[in-house]
Amino acid sequence: AEDVMHGRKVTEKVNLLVLATGIVPETGGLPAGFTLDEFGFVAHANKTGFHAAGCVARPEDVSATVQGATGAAMKALQAVVRSAHHG
């Protein structure tokens, strides 16, 4: 397993192991302009200022979700700044 908080791999002997179930994205409430892939994840955000992040974009661990959310927030901020400067 991976200890994400400490950034290391952990090995343990166990009697029972339960694996995570598949992720089904909840995209029903999204506004128009998003293209979904064959599994229902957001493939492209076609509207300016909208960016997919986290498990709506792809199955991810916590670390990757945080990185993706930070990137989406920065893209959205850049769109707002461009809009303010260019009318």
Side-chain angles (χ1 to χ4, degrees), residues 57-85:
R58 70 188 78 57
E60 295 182 322
D61 62 17
V62 173
S63 177
T65 299
V66 170
Q67 289 176 353
T70 301
M74 292 303 296
K75 288 178 185 177
L77 181 60
Q78 289 171 346
V80 169
V81 169
R82 277 192 214 113
S83 171
H85 286 286

Side-chain angles (χ1 to χ4, degrees), residues 15-80:
N15 292 323
L16 175 67
L17 175 67
V18 177
L19 299 175
T21 60
I23 295 174
V24 178
E26 180 58 55
T27 56
L30 293 176
F34 289 91
T35 303
L36 304 181
D37 68 12
E38 67 271 21
F39 303 108
F41 293 98
V42 173
H44 300 290
N46 298 330
K47 297 182 85 170
T48 302
F50 285 89
H51 303 282
C55 293
V56 75
R58 70 188 78 57
E60 295 182 322
D61 62 17
V62 173
S63 177
T65 299
V66 170
Q67 289 176 353
T70 301
M74 292 303 296
K75 288 178 185 177
L77 181 60
Q78 289 171 346
V80 169

Side-chain angles (χ1 to χ4, degrees), residues 1-10 61-66:
E2 182 178 358
D3 180 349
V4 178
M5 298 298 290
H6 296 99
R8 64 179 183 227
K9 302 289 182 183
V10 179
D61 62 17
V62 173
S63 177
T65 299
V66 170

